[in-house]
Amino acid sequence: MSFGHPLLLLTLAVPLLAAAAFVIAQRRPARHPVSFTNLDVLAAVAGGRSWRRWAAPVLFLLALAALCVGIARPHATTRVTDERATVILVIDASRSMQSTDVRPSRLVAAERAANIFLDRVPKRLRVALIVFSGDVQVATPPTTEHELVRESISSIGNFSGFGGTAIGDAIVRAVEVGRNAVRDTRALSSAAPAPRTRGLVTVVFLSDGRQNRGIVQPFDGARRAKAAGIPVNTVALGTNRRDSGPGVLQFGGGGGGFRFNRAPDPATLRRIARITGGRFFEAKTAGSVESVYAELGSQLGRKTGKTEVTFAFLIGAAVLLVSAGAASAAWSPRIP
């Protein structure tokens, strides 16, 4: 915790001096003779040495201390929204995403997880969506209007890219979108130095397959992301099942033939994350992929910052003052 006016913490000497004066006053011998001849009755009426007689002054002194801390303008270190940050969601839309090993399908599980991510991120965070298979498309440019991103997520199934999976091309396109987002942000400021994406752009990359199309190889794309200072968090979605589920071509007949391997490529995605400084996740169920996106949504788009918490000390002081008054009214000794 830090303070806007740390010198004002010296006022904490006031409640300390008041506490010392109160203790000294309580220990001083009485100046007047006792008027009660029966000391047992006097002790019962005055409350004896019960802790209750200390409650009101202790609460009052705590309230005074809280006020002294409050006027020093305390600030707590918390995670606050980084309004310059951009998160780019990259989702595989190849035909294998129709597979049902992840219920109800890989694609539906990914869409639900992406919506959970939007529920968790700060409302002022800019989010973009890129959809890819053999081709790459920017479905939603970086925006704080998260409803636009949700609309694009619901339309991923209509993506009409070429067949296959172009992982490297998708990473390169995400880097381009991230750089442009930072450039646009800096153009709005009075000083606009050269774009620097490090710490300002993060990619969340989900795929259920392995590279079989595209121009850029996955690790070349990862190295470009690293050079730009953009971490790529990768999610390998799906199991190792091999069958001809919906949207997967099968060749041959009579019970034979060849079936495409719809298993994800966790080794490649893990290495992409390691190269770029991101994190790797493996999701084999709908629940696991939702947990991954919920976790990332709670972390991304935030930075360590200072938040003033003066109001908390003022509220605490008010509560303590009211409590001191109530304790005084209820427990102060009374002589009838």
Side-chain angles (χ1 to χ4, degrees):
M1 180 176 291
S2 60
F3 297 89
H5 303 291
L7 289 178
L8 291 179
L9 289 174
L10 295 175
T11 58
L12 285 171
V14 175
L16 291 176
L17 293 174
F22 179 78
V23 172
I24 293 173
Q26 291 295 308
R27 293 183 176 180
R28 290 179 59 186
R31 294 184 179 182
H32 304 286
V34 178
S35 302
F36 285 80
T37 57
N38 191 329
L39 296 181
D40 292 334
V41 174
L42 176 60
V45 173
R49 303 180 64 85
S50 172
W51 62 269
R52 293 180 177 179
R53 69 191 182 102
W54 295 92
V58 168
L59 289 172
F60 175 78
L61 290 173
L62 289 175
L64 188 59
L67 287 173
C68 292
V69 175
I71 64 174
R73 302 283 297 275
H75 291 74
T77 301
T78 59
R79 297 285 291 175
V80 298
T81 302
D82 187 351
E83 297 187 0
R84 302 175 303 163
T86 299
V87 175
I88 303 172
L89 300 178
V90 183
I91 298 179
D92 189 343
S94 58
R95 287 175 294 182
S96 58
M97 287 290 285
Q98 301 295 333
S99 302
T100 57
D101 55 336
V102 178
R103 300 292 180 180
S105 72
R106 294 178 181 178
L107 181 59
V108 172
E111 291 174 348
R112 291 175 179 174
N115 281 309
I116 290 175
F117 177 86
L118 293 176
D119 291 336
R120 297 295 183 91
V121 297
K123 295 185 182 301
R124 297 191 300 275
L125 176 69
R126 293 188 303 169
V127 181
L129 176 65
I130 292 177
V131 182
F132 77 98
S133 56
D135 192 15
V136 183
Q137 175 182 324
V138 179
T140 308
T143 178
T144 57
E145 298 293 333
H146 294 174
E147 287 304 317
L148 297 178
V149 184
R150 292 185 192 275
E151 292 176 6
S152 297
I153 290 172
S154 65
S155 302
I156 291 178
N158 300 325
F159 178 63
S160 57
F162 297 105
T165 304
I167 293 176
D169 290 4
I171 295 175
V172 170
R173 190 63 177 276
V175 172
E176 294 173 354
V177 171
R179 282 176 167 164
N180 290 335
V182 173
R183 185 179 294 108
D184 292 343
T185 301
R186 292 190 180 277
L188 296 176
S189 62
S190 55
R196 181 185 64 84
T197 56
R198 189 175 304 277
L200 298 179
V201 179
T202 304
V203 174
V204 179
F205 190 100
L206 180 145
S207 178
D208 75 331
R210 58 195 67 232
Q211 173 106 353
N212 53 26
R213 284 189 70 94
I215 299 173
V216 181
Q217 293 302 307
F219 302 143
D220 291 336
R223 283 186 278 271
R224 294 193 193 184
K226 178 182 179 180
I230 299 177
V232 180
N233 300 286
T234 56
V235 182
L237 178 63
T239 65
N240 291 325
R241 245 178 54 191
R242 297 190 181 193
D243 57 18
S244 58
V248 180
L249 297 179
Q250 178 176 337
F251 299 94
F258 171 79
R259 295 176 179 180
F260 280 123
N261 178 11
R262 297 187 296 158
D265 186 6
T268 296
L269 295 183
R270 182 183 288 107
R271 186 176 174 187
I272 290 171
R274 185 169 61 249
I275 291 173
T276 62
R279 299 171 62 189
F280 167 74
F281 302 89
E282 192 166 8
K284 297 183 178 182
T285 65
S288 61
V289 70
E290 290 176 3
S291 297
V292 168
Y293 275 73
E295 178 182 349
L296 292 173
S298 300
Q299 297 174 355
L300 300 181
R302 295 172 173 85
K303 63 180 180 179
T304 301
K306 299 288 186 179
T307 301
E308 185 171 346
V309 291
T310 300
F311 71 94
F313 285 89
L314 296 180
I315 293 174
V319 171
L320 289 169
L321 283 173
V322 172
S323 301
S328 178
W331 295 331
S332 291
R334 298 182 179 86
I335 299 178

